[in-house]
């Protein structure tokens, strides 16, 4: 399910149906949070809590990337430079985009994605490079809403696919980030 999604027109409907099955409505979601198997309470998740990142978010994005690397046990591999990251995300020729999930004014997670292109079908696609939700915010719907926002972007931009490599060697568990 989290792998490549071919033919957005047909399979996006399946993805959105699955997200709806999980209880995600277009505007709000009431989340039942379990505490030791019991219901701890509910809260309303406003889809407006997902927003595009801006250049001012660059330090936060860098921190999230480092948090992801720590989670993946790859902190030693991070060599990012914030200036270069800012240029590549928000410069005159952006190479990638970022969506941020917010809760009570705090950044809960992010999704970094970019376009690629299918020569066989002559259609653009979106590729999800990273999706990460900070551990303290998992289980509250942030990852699911990030994925749903990406699916909407794919449809709005006439993409033929939304892709993510679930078999990428460093990926411990996308489901853990789906919080």
């Amino acid at each position: 399910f989290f792998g490549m999604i071919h033919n957005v027109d047909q399979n996006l409907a399946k993805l959105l149906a699955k997200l709806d099955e999980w209880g995600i409505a277009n505007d709000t979601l009431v989340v039942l949070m379990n505490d030791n198997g019991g219901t701890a309470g509910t809260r309303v998740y406003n889809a407006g809590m997902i927003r595009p990142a801006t250049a001012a978010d660059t330090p936060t994005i860098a921190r999230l990337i480092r948090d992801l690397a720590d989670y993946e046990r790859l902190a030693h591999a991070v060599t990012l430079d914030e200036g270069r990251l800012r240029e590549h995300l928000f410069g005159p020729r952006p190479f990638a985009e970022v969506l941020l999930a917010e809760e009570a004014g705090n950044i809960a997670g992010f999704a970094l994605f970019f376009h690629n292109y299918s020569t066989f079908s002559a259609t653009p696609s979106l590729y999800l490079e990273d999706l990460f939700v900070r551990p303290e915010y998992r289980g509250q719907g942030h990852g699911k809403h990030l994925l749903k926002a990406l699916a909407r972007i794919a449809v709005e931009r006439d993409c033929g696919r939304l892709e993510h490599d679930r078999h990428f060697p460093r990926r411990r568990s996308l489901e853990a980030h789906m919080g």
Side-chain angles (χ1 to χ4, degrees):
F1 163 62
F2 291 110
M4 187 184 309
I5 301 171
H6 294 279
N7 190 346
V8 169
D9 291 335
Q10 293 175 5
N11 289 314
L12 183 61
K14 292 178 189 175
L15 171 64
L16 294 175
K18 186 67 173 172
L19 292 172
D20 287 336
E21 179 183 316
W22 289 338
I24 298 174
N26 286 336
D27 296 321
T28 61
L29 165 68
V30 176
V31 179
L32 299 175
M33 298 184 301
N34 293 322
D35 184 13
N36 298 325
T39 301
T42 63
R43 76 175 182 88
V44 175
Y45 192 103
N46 183 327
M49 296 170 138
I50 304 297
R51 66 171 179 85
T54 67
D57 294 311
T58 303
T60 300
I61 297 166
R63 178 74 258 155
L64 288 162
I65 291 169
R66 289 182 184 102
D67 290 348
L68 171 60
D70 286 342
Y71 179 80
E72 298 287 349
R73 298 183 185 110
L74 290 169
H76 63 278
V78 177
T79 61
L80 76 83
D81 171 81
E82 285 188 29
R84 206 171 53 226
L85 181 64
R86 180 179 285 107
E87 178 72 17
H88 291 165
L89 294 177
F90 307 106
R93 184 173 180 228
F95 293 101
E97 298 174 65
V98 173
L99 293 177
L100 296 172
E102 290 186 325
E103 181 175 308
N106 297 312
I107 301 299
F110 82 112
L112 187 143
F113 63 99
F114 53 87
H115 283 95
N116 56 20
Y117 193 79
S118 170
T119 55
F120 286 9
S121 65
T123 56
S125 298
L126 281 186
Y127 186 86
L128 172 60
E129 178 67 23
D130 284 313
L131 188 148
F132 179 74
V133 175
R134 289 181 166 149
E136 63 269 27
Y137 294 105
R138 293 186 187 152
Q140 299 174 38
H142 298 292
K144 292 171 191 169
H145 277 278
L146 284 164
L147 186 59
K148 190 169 184 178
L150 283 172
R152 282 194 182 117
I153 290 169
V155 170
E156 290 168 4
R157 296 181 185 181
D158 294 322
C159 293
R161 296 188 301 241
L162 171 58
E163 301 174 279
H164 176 75
D165 185 358
R166 66 181 176 166
H167 300 294
F168 192 66
R170 71 175 172 85
R171 180 75 50 216
R172 282 180 51 201
S173 171
L174 177 61
E175 289 82 8
H177 303 296
M178 289 302 294

